[in-house]
Amino acid sequence: NAGVTQTPKFRILKIGQSMTLQCAQDMNHNYMYWYRQDPGMGLKLIYYSVGAGITDKGEVPNGYNVSRSTTEDFPLRLELAAPSQTSVYFCASSSREGEKLFFGSGTQLSVL
Amino acid sequence: AQKITQTQPGMFVQEKEAVTLDCTYDTSDQSYGLFWYKQPSSGEMIFLIYQGSYDEQNATEGRYSLNFQKARKSANLVISASQLGDSAMYFCAMREGWNSGGSNYKLTFGKGTLLTVNP
């Protein structure tokens, strides 16, 4: 079972570059989320989606964009990367609201 | 104010002993849920246990149990018979209900406790 798949696993960006972090789940979950984890900290919610075509901001959305054109995919777009976006990014999904999250393996991003 | 507080940045335990990881939470909702996740050094997030605010019994999952004290707003994780493979970061998280002005859809995480199991 693939579960939640994130790509890439590692990436180094230069300041001002853009990139898209890919996330796909094969569990037919309606709810999907993007979190970031800074060193020594817990996870903070960037964006979430409750279904295809519906997205909303989380706690730290600035500098990011998302789209949800299908149930399976929830890409996260970084525009004009900044050093403050150096972090580990986790995509997650859940079958129902308030249910446990299934996490991807994470993407370690460095902006230099 | 922080919604989830984990006061122990690091904990040490001897193999085969039990350990309690603390978590306190702050919410005005009557309906909420509490989760514990494990993050080993490899980085993935692994779900361990869940407690709903209306659950009368403390949740248990194998060697994991959740000591839920609603009046104190605490949801401590107890790991019995610690194993070397339990060495990891542990995160407490809360899902609040509609009344908080938040959403049922997302979890708020604490900063975590790094558990080290000594042989």
Side-chain angles (χ1 to χ4, degrees), chain B residues 42-92:
Chain B
S42 52
E44 72 268 30
M45 296 287 287
I46 302 167
F47 167 77
L48 295 178
I49 197 166
Y50 167 78
Q51 179 86 40
S53 58
Y54 291 122
D55 295 340
E56 294 185 354
Q57 303 253 358
N58 285 344
T60 60
E61 290 282 354
R63 293 187 299 111
Y64 304 108
S65 60
L66 202 152
N67 184 0
F68 182 46
Q69 298 189 43
K70 199 168 181 177
R72 294 186 177 184
K73 294 188 175 179
S74 75
N76 299 339
L77 177 70
V78 180
I79 305 175
S80 63
S82 297
Q83 301 172 355
L84 296 178
D86 293 334
S87 293
M89 197 75 169
Y90 289 81
F91 291 98
C92 180

Short mmCIF file of all heavy atoms in Angstrom, two decimals, chain B residues 42-92:
data_model
loop_
_atom_site.label_atom_id
_atom_site.label_comp_id
_atom_site.label_asym_id
_atom_site.label_seq_id
_atom_site.Cartn_x
_atom_site.Cartn_y
_atom_site.Cartn_z
N SER B 42 14.36 8.51 11.44
CA SER B 42 14.16 8.43 10.00
C SER B 42 13.18 9.49 9.49
O SER B 42 13.11 9.76 8.29
CB SER B 42 13.66 7.05 9.62
OG SER B 42 12.53 6.70 10.41
N GLY B 43 12.42 10.09 10.39
CA GLY B 43 11.61 11.26 10.04
C GLY B 43 10.13 11.05 9.82
O GLY B 43 9.39 12.03 9.83
N GLU B 44 9.68 9.83 9.62
CA GLU B 44 8.25 9.67 9.35
C GLU B 44 7.42 9.88 10.61
O GLU B 44 7.93 9.78 11.71
CB GLU B 44 7.95 8.29 8.74
CG GLU B 44 8.07 7.13 9.71
CD GLU B 44 9.45 6.51 9.72
OE1 GLU B 44 10.43 7.24 9.48
OE2 GLU B 44 9.54 5.30 10.00
N MET B 45 6.17 10.21 10.44
CA MET B 45 5.26 10.43 11.56
C MET B 45 4.35 9.21 11.68
O MET B 45 3.65 8.85 10.72
CB MET B 45 4.41 11.68 11.32
CG MET B 45 5.19 12.96 11.27
SD MET B 45 5.76 13.47 12.90
CE MET B 45 4.24 14.02 13.65
N ILE B 46 4.36 8.60 12.85
CA ILE B 46 3.62 7.35 13.07
C ILE B 46 2.54 7.58 14.11
O ILE B 46 2.85 7.98 15.24
CB ILE B 46 4.57 6.24 13.53
CG1 ILE B 46 5.68 6.03 12.50
CG2 ILE B 46 3.81 4.94 13.78
CD1 ILE B 46 6.84 5.18 13.00
N PHE B 47 1.29 7.33 13.78
CA PHE B 47 0.19 7.46 14.72
C PHE B 47 0.29 6.38 15.80
O PHE B 47 0.51 5.21 15.50
CB PHE B 47 -1.14 7.34 13.99
CG PHE B 47 -2.32 7.16 14.89
CD1 PHE B 47 -2.85 8.24 15.58
CD2 PHE B 47 -2.89 5.91 15.07
CE1 PHE B 47 -3.94 8.08 16.41
CE2 PHE B 47 -3.97 5.73 15.91
CZ PHE B 47 -4.50 6.82 16.58
N LEU B 48 0.11 6.79 17.06
CA LEU B 48 0.18 5.84 18.16
C LEU B 48 -1.17 5.57 18.82
O LEU B 48 -1.57 4.42 19.00
CB LEU B 48 1.14 6.35 19.24
CG LEU B 48 2.61 6.48 18.87
CD1 LEU B 48 3.39 7.05 20.04
CD2 LEU B 48 3.18 5.14 18.44
N ILE B 49 -1.88 6.65 19.19
CA ILE B 49 -3.05 6.46 20.02
C ILE B 49 -3.92 7.71 19.97
O ILE B 49 -3.44 8.82 19.72
CB ILE B 49 -2.60 6.16 21.48
CG1 ILE B 49 -3.73 5.55 22.30
CG2 ILE B 49 -2.02 7.39 22.16
CD1 ILE B 49 -3.24 4.92 23.61
N TYR B 50 -5.23 7.49 20.18
CA TYR B 50 -6.21 8.58 20.12
C TYR B 50 -7.15 8.50 21.32
O TYR B 50 -7.55 7.41 21.74
CB TYR B 50 -7.02 8.48 18.83
CG TYR B 50 -8.24 9.37 18.80
CD1 TYR B 50 -8.11 10.73 18.55
CD2 TYR B 50 -9.51 8.86 19.07
CE1 TYR B 50 -9.23 11.56 18.53
CE2 TYR B 50 -10.62 9.68 19.07
CZ TYR B 50 -10.48 11.03 18.79
OH TYR B 50 -11.58 11.85 18.78
N GLN B 51 -7.52 9.69 21.85
CA GLN B 51 -8.50 9.77 22.94
C GLN B 51 -9.51 10.85 22.60
O GLN B 51 -9.14 12.00 22.37
CB GLN B 51 -7.79 10.14 24.25
CG GLN B 51 -8.70 10.29 25.45
CD GLN B 51 -8.96 8.98 26.15
OE1 GLN B 51 -8.08 8.15 26.31
NE2 GLN B 51 -10.18 8.77 26.62
N GLY B 52 -10.77 10.50 22.57
CA GLY B 52 -11.81 11.49 22.37
C GLY B 52 -12.24 12.06 23.71
O GLY B 52 -12.19 11.39 24.74
N SER B 53 -12.71 13.30 23.68
CA SER B 53 -13.04 13.97 24.94
C SER B 53 -14.22 13.32 25.65
O SER B 53 -14.38 13.46 26.87
CB SER B 53 -13.34 15.45 24.69
OG SER B 53 -14.41 15.60 23.76
N TYR B 54 -15.06 12.61 24.91
CA TYR B 54 -16.21 11.97 25.53
C TYR B 54 -15.95 10.50 25.89
O TYR B 54 -16.82 9.83 26.43
CB TYR B 54 -17.43 12.06 24.60
CG TYR B 54 -17.94 13.47 24.46
CD1 TYR B 54 -18.03 14.09 23.21
CD2 TYR B 54 -18.35 14.21 25.57
CE1 TYR B 54 -18.51 15.38 23.07
CE2 TYR B 54 -18.81 15.51 25.44
CZ TYR B 54 -18.90 16.07 24.19
OH TYR B 54 -19.37 17.36 24.05
N ASP B 55 -14.75 10.03 25.53
CA ASP B 55 -14.43 8.63 25.86
C ASP B 55 -14.27 8.48 27.37
O ASP B 55 -13.48 9.20 27.98
CB ASP B 55 -13.14 8.19 25.15
CG ASP B 55 -13.30 8.18 23.65
OD1 ASP B 55 -14.45 8.13 23.18
OD2 ASP B 55 -12.27 8.20 22.95
N GLU B 56 -14.99 7.55 27.95
CA GLU B 56 -14.94 7.39 29.40
C GLU B 56 -13.73 6.59 29.85
O GLU B 56 -13.23 6.77 30.96
CB GLU B 56 -16.22 6.72 29.89
CG GLU B 56 -17.46 7.61 29.67
CD GLU B 56 -18.71 7.00 30.27
OE1 GLU B 56 -18.65 5.86 30.75
OE2 GLU B 56 -19.75 7.68 30.23
N GLN B 57 -13.27 5.71 28.98
CA GLN B 57 -12.12 4.88 29.33
C GLN B 57 -10.86 5.48 28.71
O GLN B 57 -10.89 6.05 27.62
CB GLN B 57 -12.32 3.47 28.76
CG GLN B 57 -13.59 2.80 29.22
CD GLN B 57 -13.30 1.70 30.20
OE1 GLN B 57 -12.15 1.44 30.51
NE2 GLN B 57 -14.33 1.06 30.71
N ASN B 58 -9.73 5.31 29.40
CA ASN B 58 -8.45 5.71 28.83
C ASN B 58 -8.12 4.81 27.65
O ASN B 58 -8.30 3.59 27.71
CB ASN B 58 -7.34 5.62 29.87
CG ASN B 58 -7.40 6.75 30.87
OD1 ASN B 58 -8.07 7.76 30.64
ND2 ASN B 58 -6.72 6.60 31.99
N ALA B 59 -7.62 5.43 26.57
CA ALA B 59 -7.28 4.65 25.39
C ALA B 59 -6.03 3.81 25.64
O ALA B 59 -5.11 4.23 26.35
CB ALA B 59 -7.04 5.59 24.21
N THR B 60 -6.02 2.63 25.03
CA THR B 60 -4.83 1.77 25.08
C THR B 60 -4.61 1.17 23.70
O THR B 60 -5.56 0.87 22.98
CB THR B 60 -4.98 0.63 26.11
OG1 THR B 60 -6.12 -0.17 25.72
CG2 THR B 60 -5.19 1.16 27.51
N GLU B 61 -3.33 1.03 23.35
CA GLU B 61 -2.92 0.39 22.10
C GLU B 61 -1.64 -0.35 22.37
O GLU B 61 -0.56 0.22 22.35
CB GLU B 61 -2.69 1.43 20.99
CG GLU B 61 -3.90 2.13 20.47
CD GLU B 61 -4.72 1.30 19.49
OE1 GLU B 61 -4.25 0.20 19.13
OE2 GLU B 61 -5.81 1.74 19.11
N GLY B 62 -1.75 -1.63 22.66
CA GLY B 62 -0.55 -2.42 22.95
C GLY B 62 0.18 -1.88 24.17
O GLY B 62 -0.38 -1.78 25.25
N ARG B 63 1.45 -1.50 23.98
CA ARG B 63 2.24 -0.98 25.11
C ARG B 63 1.98 0.50 25.39
O ARG B 63 2.55 1.06 26.33
CB ARG B 63 3.73 -1.18 24.81
CG ARG B 63 4.17 -2.63 24.77
CD ARG B 63 5.68 -2.75 24.63
NE ARG B 63 6.18 -2.16 23.40
CZ ARG B 63 6.92 -1.06 23.36
NH1 ARG B 63 7.25 -0.41 24.47
NH2 ARG B 63 7.35 -0.58 22.20
N TYR B 64 1.14 1.13 24.58
CA TYR B 64 0.84 2.54 24.76
C TYR B 64 -0.51 2.71 25.45
O TYR B 64 -1.48 2.04 25.10
CB TYR B 64 0.79 3.26 23.41
CG TYR B 64 2.03 3.12 22.58
CD1 TYR B 64 2.04 2.32 21.44
CD2 TYR B 64 3.20 3.78 22.93
CE1 TYR B 64 3.18 2.19 20.67
CE2 TYR B 64 4.35 3.66 22.17
CZ TYR B 64 4.33 2.85 21.04
OH TYR B 64 5.47 2.72 20.28
N SER B 65 -0.55 3.61 26.40
CA SER B 65 -1.82 3.98 27.01
C SER B 65 -1.82 5.49 27.22
O SER B 65 -0.77 6.12 27.31
CB SER B 65 -2.05 3.24 28.32
OG SER B 65 -1.03 3.54 29.24
N LEU B 66 -3.00 6.02 27.25
CA LEU B 66 -3.14 7.47 27.40
C LEU B 66 -3.82 7.73 28.74
O LEU B 66 -4.93 7.27 28.97
CB LEU B 66 -3.98 8.04 26.24
CG LEU B 66 -3.81 9.52 25.93
CD1 LEU B 66 -4.08 9.81 24.47
CD2 LEU B 66 -4.73 10.35 26.82
N ASN B 67 -3.13 8.43 29.60
CA ASN B 67 -3.67 8.80 30.91
C ASN B 67 -4.40 10.13 30.76
O ASN B 67 -3.80 11.19 30.81
CB ASN B 67 -2.53 8.91 31.92
CG ASN B 67 -3.05 9.19 33.32
OD1 ASN B 67 -4.26 9.30 33.55
ND2 ASN B 67 -2.15 9.32 34.26
N PHE B 68 -5.72 10.04 30.56
CA PHE B 68 -6.54 11.19 30.23
C PHE B 68 -7.18 11.73 31.51
O PHE B 68 -7.98 11.05 32.15
CB PHE B 68 -7.62 10.80 29.23
CG PHE B 68 -8.52 11.91 28.78
CD1 PHE B 68 -8.00 13.14 28.40
CD2 PHE B 68 -9.89 11.72 28.69
CE1 PHE B 68 -8.82 14.16 27.96
CE2 PHE B 68 -10.73 12.73 28.26
CZ PHE B 68 -10.20 13.95 27.89
N GLN B 69 -6.81 12.95 31.89
CA GLN B 69 -7.40 13.60 33.06
C GLN B 69 -8.05 14.90 32.58
O GLN B 69 -7.39 15.93 32.47
CB GLN B 69 -6.33 13.85 34.13
CG GLN B 69 -5.70 12.56 34.63
CD GLN B 69 -4.80 12.79 35.83
OE1 GLN B 69 -5.13 13.54 36.74
NE2 GLN B 69 -3.66 12.14 35.82
N LYS B 70 -9.35 14.78 32.34
CA LYS B 70 -10.07 15.87 31.67
C LYS B 70 -10.08 17.15 32.50
O LYS B 70 -9.91 18.24 31.98
CB LYS B 70 -11.50 15.40 31.40
CG LYS B 70 -12.25 16.18 30.36
CD LYS B 70 -13.53 15.43 30.00
CE LYS B 70 -14.31 16.14 28.94
NZ LYS B 70 -15.51 15.38 28.54
N ALA B 71 -10.30 17.03 33.78
CA ALA B 71 -10.38 18.21 34.64
C ALA B 71 -9.04 18.96 34.67
O ALA B 71 -9.01 20.19 34.76
CB ALA B 71 -10.80 17.82 36.04
N ARG B 72 -7.95 18.23 34.59
CA ARG B 72 -6.62 18.83 34.58
C ARG B 72 -6.17 19.20 33.18
O ARG B 72 -5.10 19.76 32.99
CB ARG B 72 -5.60 17.87 35.19
CG ARG B 72 -5.82 17.59 36.65
CD ARG B 72 -4.69 16.74 37.19
NE ARG B 72 -4.82 16.51 38.62
CZ ARG B 72 -3.93 15.87 39.36
NH1 ARG B 72 -2.84 15.39 38.81
NH2 ARG B 72 -4.13 15.69 40.65
N LYS B 73 -6.96 18.82 32.19
CA LYS B 73 -6.60 19.03 30.79
C LYS B 73 -5.22 18.45 30.48
O LYS B 73 -4.34 19.13 29.94
CB LYS B 73 -6.68 20.52 30.41
CG LYS B 73 -8.11 21.06 30.46
CD LYS B 73 -8.21 22.46 29.91
CE LYS B 73 -9.67 22.91 29.87
NZ LYS B 73 -9.82 24.29 29.36
N SER B 74 -5.08 17.21 30.86
CA SER B 74 -3.82 16.53 30.54
C SER B 74 -4.09 15.22 29.83
O SER B 74 -5.11 14.57 30.07
CB SER B 74 -2.98 16.31 31.79
OG SER B 74 -3.50 15.26 32.57
N ALA B 75 -3.18 14.84 28.99
CA ALA B 75 -3.32 13.62 28.17
C ALA B 75 -1.94 13.00 28.03
O ALA B 75 -1.32 13.04 26.96
CB ALA B 75 -3.91 13.96 26.81
N ASN B 76 -1.46 12.43 29.11
CA ASN B 76 -0.09 11.90 29.13
C ASN B 76 -0.01 10.54 28.46
O ASN B 76 -0.88 9.69 28.63
CB ASN B 76 0.41 11.79 30.57
CG ASN B 76 0.44 13.15 31.26
OD1 ASN B 76 0.48 14.19 30.60
ND2 ASN B 76 0.42 13.13 32.57
N LEU B 77 1.06 10.32 27.74
CA LEU B 77 1.31 9.04 27.09
C LEU B 77 2.17 8.17 28.00
O LEU B 77 3.22 8.62 28.48
CB LEU B 77 2.04 9.24 25.76
CG LEU B 77 2.42 7.96 25.01
CD1 LEU B 77 1.19 7.27 24.46
CD2 LEU B 77 3.41 8.28 23.89
N VAL B 78 1.72 6.96 28.24
CA VAL B 78 2.48 6.01 29.04
C VAL B 78 2.95 4.88 28.13
O VAL B 78 2.15 4.27 27.43
CB VAL B 78 1.64 5.43 30.20
CG1 VAL B 78 2.48 4.44 31.01
CG2 VAL B 78 1.11 6.55 31.09
N ILE B 79 4.25 4.67 28.12
CA ILE B 79 4.83 3.56 27.36
C ILE B 79 5.33 2.54 28.37
O ILE B 79 6.19 2.85 29.22
CB ILE B 79 6.00 4.02 26.47
CG1 ILE B 79 5.56 5.16 25.55
CG2 ILE B 79 6.52 2.84 25.64
CD1 ILE B 79 6.69 5.76 24.72
N SER B 80 4.80 1.35 28.31
CA SER B 80 5.22 0.31 29.25
C SER B 80 6.33 -0.52 28.61
O SER B 80 6.44 -0.59 27.38
CB SER B 80 4.04 -0.58 29.61
OG SER B 80 3.57 -1.25 28.45
N ALA B 81 7.16 -1.12 29.45
CA ALA B 81 8.21 -2.03 28.99
C ALA B 81 8.97 -1.44 27.80
O ALA B 81 8.98 -1.98 26.69
CB ALA B 81 7.62 -3.39 28.61
N SER B 82 9.63 -0.31 28.03
CA SER B 82 10.32 0.42 26.95
C SER B 82 11.30 -0.47 26.20
O SER B 82 11.98 -1.32 26.79
CB SER B 82 11.07 1.62 27.53
OG SER B 82 10.18 2.54 28.09
N GLN B 83 11.37 -0.22 24.90
CA GLN B 83 12.29 -0.95 24.03
C GLN B 83 13.23 0.06 23.37
O GLN B 83 12.90 1.25 23.25
CB GLN B 83 11.52 -1.72 22.96
CG GLN B 83 10.53 -2.71 23.51
CD GLN B 83 9.64 -3.32 22.43
OE1 GLN B 83 9.70 -2.94 21.27
NE2 GLN B 83 8.81 -4.27 22.84
N LEU B 84 14.38 -0.41 22.92
CA LEU B 84 15.35 0.49 22.28
C LEU B 84 14.72 1.20 21.08
O LEU B 84 15.02 2.36 20.79
CB LEU B 84 16.59 -0.28 21.85
CG LEU B 84 17.42 -0.88 22.99
CD1 LEU B 84 18.60 -1.68 22.43
CD2 LEU B 84 17.90 0.18 23.96
N GLY B 85 13.84 0.49 20.39
CA GLY B 85 13.17 1.08 19.23
C GLY B 85 12.17 2.16 19.57
O GLY B 85 11.64 2.83 18.67
N ASP B 86 11.91 2.37 20.85
CA ASP B 86 11.01 3.46 21.26
C ASP B 86 11.73 4.80 21.27
O ASP B 86 11.08 5.85 21.41
CB ASP B 86 10.44 3.18 22.65
CG ASP B 86 9.51 1.98 22.68
OD1 ASP B 86 8.91 1.67 21.63
OD2 ASP B 86 9.39 1.36 23.76
N SER B 87 13.04 4.80 21.14
CA SER B 87 13.79 6.07 21.10
C SER B 87 13.34 6.87 19.89
O SER B 87 13.48 6.42 18.74
CB SER B 87 15.29 5.80 21.02
OG SER B 87 15.76 5.20 22.20
N ALA B 88 12.77 8.03 20.15
CA ALA B 88 12.19 8.84 19.08
C ALA B 88 11.68 10.14 19.68
O ALA B 88 11.70 10.35 20.88
CB ALA B 88 11.02 8.10 18.41
N MET B 89 11.19 11.00 18.77
CA MET B 89 10.49 12.20 19.19
C MET B 89 9.01 11.86 19.28
O MET B 89 8.48 11.15 18.41
CB MET B 89 10.71 13.31 18.13
CG MET B 89 10.40 14.69 18.60
SD MET B 89 11.68 15.29 19.68
CE MET B 89 11.22 17.02 19.77
N TYR B 90 8.33 12.36 20.32
CA TYR B 90 6.92 12.08 20.50
C TYR B 90 6.14 13.39 20.54
O TYR B 90 6.49 14.30 21.30
CB TYR B 90 6.70 11.29 21.79
CG TYR B 90 7.18 9.87 21.69
CD1 TYR B 90 8.53 9.57 21.86
CD2 TYR B 90 6.30 8.83 21.41
CE1 TYR B 90 8.99 8.26 21.74
CE2 TYR B 90 6.75 7.52 21.30
CZ TYR B 90 8.09 7.25 21.46
OH TYR B 90 8.54 5.96 21.34
N PHE B 91 5.10 13.43 19.74
CA PHE B 91 4.29 14.65 19.63
C PHE B 91 2.87 14.39 20.10
O PHE B 91 2.24 13.39 19.72
CB PHE B 91 4.23 15.15 18.19
CG PHE B 91 5.54 15.68 17.68
CD1 PHE B 91 6.37 14.88 16.91
CD2 PHE B 91 5.93 16.98 17.95
CE1 PHE B 91 7.58 15.37 16.43
CE2 PHE B 91 7.13 17.48 17.48
CZ PHE B 91 7.95 16.66 16.72
N CYS B 92 2.38 15.32 20.91
CA CYS B 92 0.98 15.34 21.31
C CYS B 92 0.26 16.33 20.39
O CYS B 92 0.83 17.36 20.01
CB CYS B 92 0.87 15.78 22.77
SG CYS B 92 -0.79 15.88 23.43
#
